[in-house]
Amino acid sequence: VPIATACIAGVTAPVIGATPVSSIKDTSEYTAVIEWSPEDATFVGNTAYTATITITPKAGYTLTGVAEDFFTVDGATTANEANDG
């Protein structure tokens, strides 16, 4: 079954002095890992940050059938290729 949950919850936008989110809660459909670039201990000003989130389907789920740019994060521009997490 293709993953049907588009919204990746728990990721917050960079705010100067805040600590980057280092983990994302599992869903019933997938696990997710987040990595920030650059890898600052806290967010600093005048810096563009990129969060790379890797989605791994749980048993019974697949990325096959997931549309391009399917996944979303509140307040962020997101991108994924079709059939990819």
Side-chain angles (χ1 to χ4, degrees):
V1 175
I3 290 172
T5 303
C7 182
I8 300 172
V11 181
T12 54
V15 173
I16 295 172
T19 301
V21 171
S22 60
S23 63
I24 297 172
K25 281 184 142 183
D26 290 357
T27 71
S28 60
E29 300 172 315
Y30 62 81
T31 61
V33 176
I34 186 169
E35 295 179 18
W36 290 92
S37 178
E39 296 180 31
D40 295 326
T42 59
F43 294 119
V44 296
N46 299 317
T47 304
Y49 288 92
T50 300
T52 301
I53 301 170
T54 304
I55 303 292
T56 303
K58 288 186 174 180
Y61 291 92
T62 183
L63 290 166
T64 302
V66 171
E68 181 177 1
D69 300 334
F70 171 77
F71 293 104
T72 62
V73 174
D74 278 347
T77 300
T78 59
N80 67 278
E81 294 187 21
N83 305 311
D84 192 22

